[in-house]
Amino acid sequence: ARHPDFHVTIKTKAAAHYLDYVQNIYLQSQTRALANLVITNFANAATLISNSAVVIGFDSTVLAEALAAGRPIIRPDFRQYAADSSWDFLAGFEGLVNYVKSYDDLEQMLLELARLKMDQRQREEFLTKLIGGTDGQASVRAEQEIIETINDFR
């Protein structure tokens, strides 16, 4: 391990085959156990995010959760391989994403966490688009929509 001071948790989806997939990659690539690595499929994502300095992922709602929690995100840069950005829920919000193209890029970002970007205006715009705002009233708005839908149905 080049950085034993980095504590890394890889959280997979709950199904065992996701966990097995990641563990098999790890077992095939490492000759010894890494004390600073945890691979799990049951850890609480919100707790992991709140205890993290940065969240790394790709095409996962955990990235949106990290932004909501005010954590910077890092993502592999696969944009050059896609014909369009229809798959990318963060398209148009590049001020929120720290893209990496190589291990060296990732290492540099992790060594300089204070330099990671998170444009607060874009964060607010993204979260408003995704969840309707950050004012804590999402359930009230959802309840109002349900009541309106019921009343329209009558």
Coordinates of all heavy atoms in Angstrom, one line a residue, residues 1-3 6-7 20 34-35 39 42-44 49 58-59 61 68 72-73 76 84 107 122 127-128 145 151:
A1 N 0.8 -1.2 0.0 CA 0.0 0.0 0.0 C 0.9 1.2 0.0 O 1.7 1.4 0.9 CB -0.9 0.0 1.2
R2 N 0.7 2.1 -1.0 CA 1.5 3.3 -1.1 C 1.1 4.3 0.0 O 1.9 5.2 0.3 CB 1.3 3.9 -2.5 CG 2.1 3.1 -3.5 CD 1.8 3.5 -4.9 NE 2.1 4.8 -5.2 CZ 2.1 5.3 -6.5 NH1 1.8 4.5 -7.5 NH2 2.4 6.6 -6.7
H3 N -0.2 4.2 0.5 CA -0.6 5.2 1.4 C -1.4 4.6 2.6 O -2.6 4.6 2.6 CB -1.6 6.2 0.7 CG -0.9 7.0 -0.3 ND1 0.0 8.1 -0.1 CD2 -0.9 6.9 -1.7 CE1 0.4 8.6 -1.2 NE2 0.0 7.9 -2.2
F6 N -4.2 6.4 4.3 CA -5.6 6.5 3.7 C -6.4 5.4 4.2 O -6.0 4.2 4.1 CB -5.5 6.4 2.2 CG -4.9 7.6 1.5 CD1 -4.3 8.7 2.2 CD2 -4.8 7.6 0.1 CE1 -3.7 9.7 1.5 CE2 -4.2 8.7 -0.6 CZ -3.7 9.7 0.1
H7 N -7.6 5.7 4.8 CA -8.5 4.6 5.2 C -9.6 4.5 4.1 O -10.3 5.5 3.8 CB -9.1 4.9 6.5 CG -8.1 5.0 7.6 ND1 -7.6 3.8 8.2 CD2 -7.4 6.0 8.2 CE1 -6.7 4.1 9.1 NE2 -6.6 5.4 9.1
D20 N -18.8 -10.3 -3.7 CA -17.8 -11.3 -4.2 C -17.0 -10.8 -5.4 O -15.8 -11.1 -5.5 CB -18.6 -12.6 -4.7 CG -19.3 -13.3 -3.6 OD1 -18.9 -13.1 -2.4 OD2 -20.2 -14.1 -3.8
L34 N -4.5 -5.6 3.3 CA -4.3 -4.2 3.5 C -5.1 -3.8 4.8 O -6.3 -3.9 4.7 CB -4.8 -3.4 2.3 CG -4.0 -3.7 1.0 CD1 -4.7 -2.9 -0.2 CD2 -2.5 -3.3 1.1
A35 N -4.4 -3.4 5.8 CA -5.1 -3.1 7.1 C -6.0 -1.8 6.9 O -6.9 -1.7 7.7 CB -4.0 -2.8 8.1
I39 N -13.9 -3.9 2.7 CA -14.8 -4.1 1.7 C -16.1 -4.7 2.3 O -16.0 -5.7 3.0 CB -14.3 -5.1 0.6 CG1 -12.9 -4.6 0.1 CG2 -15.3 -5.4 -0.5 CD1 -12.2 -5.6 -0.8
F42 N -22.8 -4.1 3.7 CA -23.9 -3.8 4.6 C -23.7 -2.5 5.4 O -24.5 -2.2 6.2 CB -24.1 -5.0 5.6 CG -24.8 -6.1 5.0 CD1 -24.2 -7.3 4.7 CD2 -26.2 -6.0 4.7 CE1 -24.9 -8.4 4.1 CE2 -26.9 -7.0 4.1 CZ -26.2 -8.2 3.8
A43 N -22.6 -1.8 5.3 CA -22.4 -0.6 6.0 C -23.4 0.4 5.6 O -23.9 0.4 4.5 CB -21.0 -0.1 5.7
N44 N -23.7 1.3 6.5 CA -24.7 2.3 6.3 C -24.1 3.4 5.5 O -23.1 4.1 5.9 CB -25.2 2.9 7.6 CG -26.2 4.0 7.5 OD1 -25.9 5.1 7.1 ND2 -27.4 3.7 7.8
I49 N -20.6 8.2 4.4 CA -20.4 9.5 3.8 C -20.1 10.5 4.9 O -19.1 11.3 4.7 CB -21.7 9.9 3.0 CG1 -21.9 9.0 1.8 CG2 -21.7 11.4 2.7 CD1 -23.2 9.1 1.2
F58 N -19.1 6.0 -9.3 CA -19.5 6.3 -10.7 C -20.9 5.9 -10.8 O -21.3 4.8 -10.5 CB -18.6 5.4 -11.6 CG -19.0 5.6 -13.1 CD1 -18.7 6.7 -13.8 CD2 -19.7 4.6 -13.7 CE1 -19.1 6.9 -15.1 CE2 -20.2 4.7 -15.0 CZ -19.9 5.9 -15.7
D59 N -21.7 6.8 -11.4 CA -23.1 6.5 -11.7 C -23.9 5.9 -10.5 O -24.5 4.9 -10.7 CB -23.2 5.6 -12.9 CG -24.5 5.7 -13.6 OD1 -25.2 6.7 -13.5 OD2 -25.0 4.7 -14.2
T61 N -26.2 6.7 -6.8 CA -26.9 7.7 -6.0 C -26.1 8.2 -4.8 O -26.3 9.2 -4.3 CB -28.2 7.2 -5.6 OG1 -28.1 6.0 -4.9 CG2 -29.2 7.0 -6.8
A68 N -25.2 16.2 -1.1 CA -26.2 16.7 -0.2 C -25.5 16.8 1.2 O -25.8 17.8 1.9 CB -27.4 15.7 -0.1
P72 N -17.0 16.4 -1.1 CA -16.6 16.4 -2.5 C -16.6 15.0 -3.1 O -16.5 14.0 -2.3 CB -15.2 17.0 -2.4 CG -14.7 16.7 -1.0 CD -15.9 16.7 -0.2
I73 N -16.8 15.0 -4.4 CA -16.9 13.7 -5.0 C -15.8 13.6 -6.1 O -15.4 14.6 -6.7 CB -18.3 13.4 -5.7 CG1 -18.6 14.4 -6.7 CG2 -19.3 13.3 -4.6 CD1 -19.9 14.1 -7.5
P76 N -14.3 8.5 -12.0 CA -13.5 8.3 -13.1 C -14.1 9.0 -14.3 O -15.3 9.1 -14.5 CB -13.6 6.7 -13.3 CG -14.7 6.3 -12.4 CD -15.0 7.3 -11.4
D84 N -23.0 10.3 -26.0 CA -23.7 11.4 -25.5 C -23.7 11.3 -23.9 O -23.1 10.4 -23.4 CB -25.1 11.5 -26.0 CG -26.0 10.3 -25.6 OD1 -25.8 9.8 -24.4 OD2 -26.8 9.9 -26.4
E107 N -4.5 9.8 -7.0 CA -3.5 9.9 -5.9 C -3.3 11.4 -5.6 O -3.3 11.9 -4.5 CB -2.2 9.2 -6.2 CG -1.2 9.3 -5.1 CD 0.1 8.6 -5.5 OE1 0.5 8.6 -6.7 OE2 0.7 8.0 -4.6
Q122 N -23.8 25.5 -8.1 CA -24.2 24.3 -8.8 C -24.7 23.2 -7.9 O -25.6 22.5 -8.3 CB -23.0 23.8 -9.7 CG -22.8 24.5 -10.9 CD -21.9 23.7 -11.9 OE1 -21.4 22.6 -11.6 NE2 -21.6 24.3 -13.0
L127 N -29.1 19.9 -6.4 CA -30.0 19.3 -5.3 C -31.4 19.7 -5.5 O -32.3 19.0 -5.3 CB -29.4 19.6 -4.0 CG -28.1 19.0 -3.6 CD1 -27.5 19.5 -2.3 CD2 -28.2 17.5 -3.6
T128 N -31.6 21.0 -5.9 CA -33.0 21.5 -6.1 C -33.6 20.7 -7.3 O -34.8 20.2 -7.2 CB -33.0 23.0 -6.4 OG1 -32.5 23.7 -5.3 CG2 -34.4 23.5 -6.7
E145 N -48.3 16.9 -3.0 CA -48.5 16.3 -4.4 C -49.4 15.1 -4.3 O -50.3 14.9 -5.2 CB -47.2 15.9 -5.0 CG -46.3 17.1 -5.4 CD -47.0 18.0 -6.5 OE1 -47.6 17.4 -7.4 OE2 -46.9 19.2 -6.4
N151 N -57.0 14.2 -5.0 CA -58.2 15.1 -5.2 C -58.5 15.2 -6.7 O -59.6 15.2 -7.1 CB -57.9 16.5 -4.7 CG -58.0 16.5 -3.2 OD1 -58.6 15.7 -2.6 ND2 -57.3 17.5 -2.6

